Amino acid sequence: MNAVEPAGGGWVAYGLAFLIPFLICLVLARRGHARTAWWLPGGIFVMTLMFVAAGVWLSGEMQTGFGAARSLGLLALPGIVGGVAGILLGRRGA
């Protein structure tokens, strides 16, 4: 999968990475567990930051670290956006 132009399978993977957190957070927020639902995109974000930090620390050169950070960010972004969208769309009016 190329980060610039993903092939057909790449778009399916990005779609699933968005859809699964979206549905989980949507259902949780609809049932009144919006605070709990925030743990999913928040956890994905924190774990991504930890892996980026480890990649930069272990790489030894900045170019490799930046490449790892970009790749991990592209992989995590659909899940984070999907989770947040699910929470925001799943909230019920008071």
Side-chain angles (χ1 to χ4, degrees), residues 1-4 6 10 13-14 17 44 47-49 51-53 55-56 62-80:
M1 176 169 60
N2 188 348
V4 177
Y14 280 133
I44 295 171
M47 290 301 294
T48 301
L49 289 180
F51 280 116
V52 166
V56 169
M62 289 308 289
Q63 188 66 21
T64 304
F66 288 139
R70 187 188 75 209
S71 297
L72 287 170
L74 285 173
L75 292 171
L77 189 62
I80 295 169

Side-chain angles (χ1 to χ4, degrees), residues 16-34 36-41 44 79 82-88 90-91:
L16 287 174
F18 176 88
L19 190 63
I20 292 171
F22 175 80
L23 291 175
I24 292 170
C25 290
L26 181 74
V27 169
L28 283 172
R30 279 306 231 178
R31 293 188 178 185
H33 302 290
T36 304
W38 280 108
W39 283 98
L40 183 61
I44 295 171
V84 171
I87 293 166
L88 296 178
R91 284 199 171 162

